[in-house]
Amino acid sequence: MYEKAGINLHEGKKELVRSRLSRRLRAKKMSRYKEYYKYLMADESGEELIHMLDAISTNLTSFFREPKHFAFLEQTALPAVLSGIKSRTKLLNIWSAGCSSGEEPYTLSICLHEFQETEPRIDFRILATDISTRMLSTAQNGVYHSSQVQSIEPNVLRKYFQRGQGTWAGHFRLKPFIRKTIDFDRLNLMEPFPFSKKFHIIFCRNVMIYFDKETQGRLVNKYYDCLEPGGFLFIGHSESLTGTEHHFKYVQPTIYQK
């Protein structure tokens, strides 16, 4: 897990790994972890590695999670970034790294649409990536149970979500004009980034908590290299770059600027 995905599974995680991998053993009709390990190492397709990563990785997220980030985005980060774009039509590239089941990139799209109402000349694309194919499938569908959207203001819910009917009663789906602003793709953050473009905003929240300081440092500097000058990096409130060598300017807790 450390070699392939940077995830630091120390001795204290042994029972978590045991319980979560038991699902894969049942799926493969195996009784011993050693048998599963041999199967995993012999699988040249890499498909079982993806299933293992899906099983072990934790995916906890929600709409408008850590709301101060989105307030800072609209009030400070976006105006600052736009001031550095000289073309008449201002195209913003935004990356949600570790997007899980999609709530974060959809929240970003909603915020950008709200911002667009006062800045109509902007356009934007959001790249949403995750290592988990299972989470990406959920995210691409854009369908959420009513319990997952209950904290969203009613006017925002009406504006950006469709209420399910019939067999989909009790569910909400993001409207097509929101879904079409986001490109979902699988990406292992430990591998070289395949991007030719640079980003203006990167959200990588509650992802680095699984990495040791050395891995965090490598990842943060990769983010720095693929940001436009003046661009912003947002990390989770349980995370910090203290003790990590990087070139970012500290703005406030969990927010950094190139």
Side-chain angles (χ1 to χ4, degrees):
M1 286 291 286
Y2 184 80
E3 179 185 331
K4 298 295 184 183
I7 298 174
N8 184 22
L9 293 172
H10 51 77
E11 188 67 21
K13 298 286 188 182
K14 187 171 182 177
E15 288 307 314
L16 177 144
V17 173
R18 185 195 304 275
S19 65
R20 292 190 177 178
L21 284 190
S22 65
R23 305 171 196 166
R24 295 308 305 158
L25 267 68
R26 288 196 296 272
K28 291 297 177 183
K29 296 181 171 55
M30 296 176 181
S31 59
R32 302 175 66 224
Y33 290 96
K34 184 176 287 188
E35 184 183 5
Y36 177 72
Y37 174 78
K38 288 180 179 178
Y39 173 80
L40 178 73
M41 298 303 286
D43 177 27
E44 295 181 359
S45 72
E47 287 185 15
E48 188 56 35
L49 175 65
I50 292 173
H51 288 307
M52 185 187 75
L53 290 167
D54 278 359
I56 288 181
S57 56
T58 302
N59 299 281
L60 177 64
T61 186
S62 61
F63 287 101
F64 294 94
R65 188 182 187 189
E66 301 176 7
K68 289 183 179 179
H69 276 167
F70 298 104
F72 183 91
L73 176 71
E74 291 190 57
Q75 297 165 16
T76 305
L78 290 177
V81 166
L82 290 171
S83 68
I85 302 176
K86 303 306 180 187
S87 58
R88 180 171 176 79
T89 300
K90 300 176 185 290
L91 176 63
L92 294 168
N93 291 314
I94 298 165
W95 180 15
S96 170
C99 68
S100 188
S101 47
E103 287 92 328
E104 179 179 273
Y106 287 127
T107 301
L108 286 167
S109 184
I110 290 170
C111 289
L112 267 293
H113 274 94
E114 291 288 299
F115 189 80
Q116 234 173 4
E117 293 181 2
T118 57
E119 290 283 347
R121 284 191 299 167
I122 75 161
D123 198 4
F124 65 92
R125 293 298 304 172
I126 298 170
L127 172 67
T129 65
D130 202 273
I131 199 170
S132 169
T133 52
R134 177 171 52 91
M135 287 294 103
L136 285 170
S137 178
T138 299
Q140 285 175 310
N141 288 333
V143 177
Y144 300 91
H145 189 267
S146 56
S147 61
Q148 295 171 280
V149 301
Q150 61 186 1
S151 63
I152 300 176
E153 295 179 7
N155 61 317
V156 174
L157 200 59
R158 285 191 298 271
K159 192 173 180 179
Y160 296 107
F161 289 79
Q162 298 168 313
R163 185 186 294 270
Q165 305 292 330
T167 56
W168 287 106
H171 292 79
F172 291 80
R173 190 180 196 189
L174 275 300
K175 291 184 177 180
F177 73 90
I178 289 288
R179 298 201 310 274
K180 75 176 185 180
T181 63
I182 304 171
D183 300 310
F184 290 98
D185 201 3
R186 184 179 183 273
L187 179 66
N188 183 341
L189 295 173
M190 297 300 103
E191 296 173 357
F193 293 166
F195 316 126
S196 56
K197 65 182 179 184
K198 290 186 181 290
F199 298 93
H200 299 95
I201 305 286
I202 297 176
F203 271 59
C204 180
R205 305 188 304 166
N206 307 305
V207 172
M208 293 190 291
I209 54 175
Y210 301 107
F211 304 151
D212 59 20
K213 281 294 180 185
E214 181 183 349
T215 305
Q216 289 176 8
R218 289 199 303 270
L219 181 59
V220 164
N221 285 297
K222 285 167 71 177
Y223 287 146
Y224 187 89
D225 290 341
C226 67
L227 266 175
E228 293 280 5
F232 288 85
L233 170 67
F234 293 76
I235 65 175
H237 277 103
S238 59
E239 299 168 323
S240 169
L241 299 190
T242 302
T244 302
E245 288 190 22
H246 63 85
H247 302 292
F248 280 101
K249 180 178 77 174
Y250 172 86
V251 178
Q252 63 184 53
T254 69
I255 300 175
Y256 299 83
Q257 187 177 23
K258 180 169 178 176

